[in-house]
Amino acid sequence: MSAFDKINLSKTPKHIAIIMDGNGRWAQQQGEMRLFGHTSGVEAVREVLKGCVELGVEYLTLYAFSTENWNRPKEEVDGLMNLMVETISNEVEELHKNGVRLHSIGDEAQLPEACRNALIAGKKSTAANKKVNLILALNYSARWELIQATKSIAQKVKEHQLEVADINDQVIHVHLCSKDFPDPEFMIRTSGEYRLSNFLLWQLAYTELYFTDILWPDFTKEDFYNAVLDYQSRERRFGMVSEQLT
Ligand code: FPP
């Protein structure tokens, strides 16, 4: 019996965010170069995306490249950028067939031109799709995002378009690069690391967190279903007490 059969399809999270960690260790365990782990991780992305279509998850945000990842050896960074270009270009047709719309968050202007172009083309050709929104966090970090939002709010205050007293959750939200998406209800991190690594720090304030030892390239659709089942066993109280929820 698959974990899928135990999932309550009327209570699946609308938005799931994933830190796809462990590609490098997975490759090293097999005596391969780290890049082989990233390439193999693409299959796990396909599996999880299919899982989202089957479960009716509307938004999937994947942490594909952080602003800190530039500090990795040049060979790995170049390889990762090529992999992004190749994957986005090769998968667009399949994304389109499955009703997936591509988005990205992050400092896109600093990405190599080929990567920017692949993203622009991928977003354009999937723009009308409505089943799943696939959001790639590329050259993203939450502190970068919050600094951009702060600058833009400060500018509006300076130009008298906004009063300091009116700054609230919603004002911050609309200045984030993720403004078009709801906050994730569920965040998965693979590979046994228990950190947020500068990922969606504002948006994850009330998110249920799930950590698994499985390395990303080994993460299957069944593992994804099991994670969602775990989510469904939790009580989300948002600062209230159990009795208030019923
Ligand atoms: C972290 O593992 C993973 C990454 C920095 C890259 C993830 C990217 C992919 C799986 C490619 C997906 C492509 C698209 C277009 C969605 P790590 O290298 O930090 O692993 P380690 O902790 O074992 O070293």
Side-chain angles (χ1 to χ4, degrees):
M1 186 185 186
S2 162
F4 177 86
D5 302 310
K6 299 189 206 151
I7 293 174
N8 179 345
L9 292 177
S10 68
K11 287 192 175 155
T12 50
K14 246 187 164 70
H15 186 173
I16 299 182
I18 304 186
I19 302 179
M20 311 178 285
D21 198 10
N23 294 345
R25 277 165 284 163
W26 184 89
Q28 279 159 349
Q29 279 173 11
Q30 345 232 339
E32 297 281 354
M33 303 289 281
R34 294 176 53 82
L35 200 56
F36 181 64
H38 299 311
T39 312
S40 306
V42 174
E43 185 52 32
V45 172
R46 285 194 200 101
E47 285 288 290
V48 165
L49 202 47
K50 275 189 224 154
C52 287
V53 173
E54 284 162 26
L55 294 180
V57 173
E58 292 173 38
Y59 301 88
L60 174 69
T61 298
L62 300 176
Y63 205 4
F65 194 88
S66 78
T67 54
E68 286 89 18
N69 286 151
W70 296 110
N71 298 324
R72 293 189 173 202
K74 183 176 178 330
E75 190 187 65
E76 184 174 346
V77 170
D78 291 348
L80 262 169
M81 286 300 148
N82 289 337
L83 179 64
M84 298 299 166
V85 176
E86 239 175 68
T87 309
I88 297 167
S89 314
N90 294 344
E91 301 288 325
V92 155
E93 198 50 45
E94 197 59 24
L95 294 180
H96 193 47
K97 261 199 257 163
N98 285 294
V100 178
R101 179 172 179 184
L102 183 68
H103 307 262
S104 66
I105 52 172
D107 190 1
E108 226 172 272
Q110 304 306 319
L111 288 169
E113 197 183 355
C115 193
R116 278 201 316 270
N117 289 340
L119 273 177
I120 292 168
K123 287 183 202 177
K124 195 170 166 208
S125 55
T126 60
N129 295 340
K130 291 199 164 38
K131 226 181 232 166
V132 182
N133 291 281
L134 171 63
I135 304 144
L136 297 182
L138 261 176
N139 197 21
Y140 172 87
S141 80
R143 287 187 177 182
W144 167 83
E145 180 183 38
L146 289 166
I147 290 167
Q148 300 313 308
T150 308
K151 283 183 180 169
S152 141
I153 291 169
Q155 190 64 33
K156 286 185 184 163
V157 170
K158 192 175 160 196
E159 290 167 4
H160 306 289
Q161 294 170 33
L162 186 65
E163 293 292 330
V164 170
D166 291 335
I167 299 173
N168 56 19
D169 277 31
Q170 186 56 19
V171 170
I172 307 270
H173 173 81
V174 300
H175 287 86
L176 298 174
C177 56
S178 62
K179 61 179 180 303
D180 297 329
F181 319 116
D183 290 344
E185 297 98 321
F186 194 41
M187 198 283 305
I188 299 171
R189 181 174 191 150
T190 56
S191 93
E193 305 288 352
Y194 299 84
R195 287 188 293 276
L196 292 180
S197 299
N198 217 347
F199 185 46
L200 303 176
L201 297 181
W202 174 271
Q203 299 86 339
L204 295 182
Y206 275 101
T207 302
E208 297 297 325
L209 307 179
Y210 180 87
F211 298 95
T212 169
D213 287 343
I214 301 168
L215 303 176
W216 178 250
D218 284 334
F219 194 75
T220 62
K221 202 160 66 166
E222 196 60 24
D223 295 320
F224 179 65
Y225 293 150
N226 276 310
V228 172
L229 257 185
D230 189 285
Y231 166 84
Q232 292 193 332
S233 71
R234 302 186 190 185
E235 182 181 65
R236 306 190 71 211
R237 290 195 291 276
F238 302 99
M240 294 183 283
V241 299
S242 253
E243 292 71 26
Q244 290 176 294
L245 299 174
T246 44

